[in-house]
Amino acid sequence: MPTISTRPVERVAPGLTWITCRVCGLRSKVSVSQPALLCNPCMTDLELTRAHVQHLRGTFIMRLRSAVEIWDLAVTDAPADVRERWAKVEAARLSVIDGTTTSHAYDAAWLRARAVGGAFAALLLAWEERERIAEECSAGLERCAVAERELEALR
């Protein structure tokens, strides 16, 4: 059953509307004729805003590259038996993708191996961190793409 919002309705003057800026995320009141979904501060200096978005894009890319490098070093530096076990994890992950193993069984095995502790569990945790950072960077890069499309609409 739908719920009724108890939030007060905020009135906007005629000719204005509320937006969420595609660059900074600021909720802002702007003219309905404004050509892009950007707040007034981001519209003030478009070159600075473009530079900011490019800086963010570069930061996300560097952070992702760093996470991958750290992961690669973790695998390279792991003892041979841990690398062999990791190869089996990769094969199991592919079997989940092709449907020969259920994700439930895979996840349960992952959690059991992680709970044991030791070098292999440390490698699993390193993978989880790499994946967490990759997801954050992917979301950040998508926000940059949205911001760039808004800025491009102004050219």
Side-chain angles (χ1 to χ4, degrees):
M1 169 178 238
T3 59
I4 297 173
S5 174
T6 57
R7 249 182 9 188
V9 174
E10 194 168 343
R11 302 283 181 217
V12 179
L16 297 177
T17 189
W18 284 105
I19 62 141
T20 299
C21 179
R22 297 309 188 250
V23 172
C24 69
L26 180 70
R27 186 168 182 258
S28 184
K29 200 181 313 184
V30 299
S31 168
V32 293
S33 63
Q34 187 155 309
L37 295 174
L38 301 177
C39 66
N40 293 325
C42 286
M43 287 288 290
T44 300
D45 186 341
L46 292 175
E47 288 311 309
L48 182 62
T49 301
R50 283 185 183 93
H52 173 69
V53 172
Q54 286 305 308
H55 173 75
L56 286 175
R57 175 176 287 289
T59 300
F60 287 123
I61 290 169
M62 286 189 303
R63 187 166 182 235
L64 181 56
R65 284 181 182 157
S66 176
V68 169
E69 287 175 14
I70 290 168
W71 165 250
D72 289 344
L73 285 172
V75 173
T76 301
D77 292 346
D81 64 317
V82 171
R83 287 194 310 273
E84 289 171 15
R85 286 180 74 187
W86 179 254
K88 291 176 183 176
V89 169
E90 289 179 317
R93 193 173 51 205
L94 291 174
S95 71
V96 170
I97 292 169
D98 70 20
T100 56
T101 302
T102 67
S103 61
H104 178 73
Y106 176 84
D107 293 343
W110 182 284
L111 292 173
R112 280 192 308 273
R114 200 176 73 182
V116 170
F120 186 63
L123 193 64
L124 295 178
L125 290 171
W127 174 259
E128 290 174 7
E129 180 65 6
R130 177 201 175 277
E131 287 296 286
R132 184 188 66 74
I133 291 170
E135 288 174 11
E136 285 178 6
C137 290
S138 177
L141 289 168
E142 178 56 33
R143 287 191 306 273
C144 287
V146 168
E148 289 163 345
R149 285 191 296 272
E150 286 299 318
L151 288 164
E152 190 59 34
L154 295 171
R155 287 191 187 255

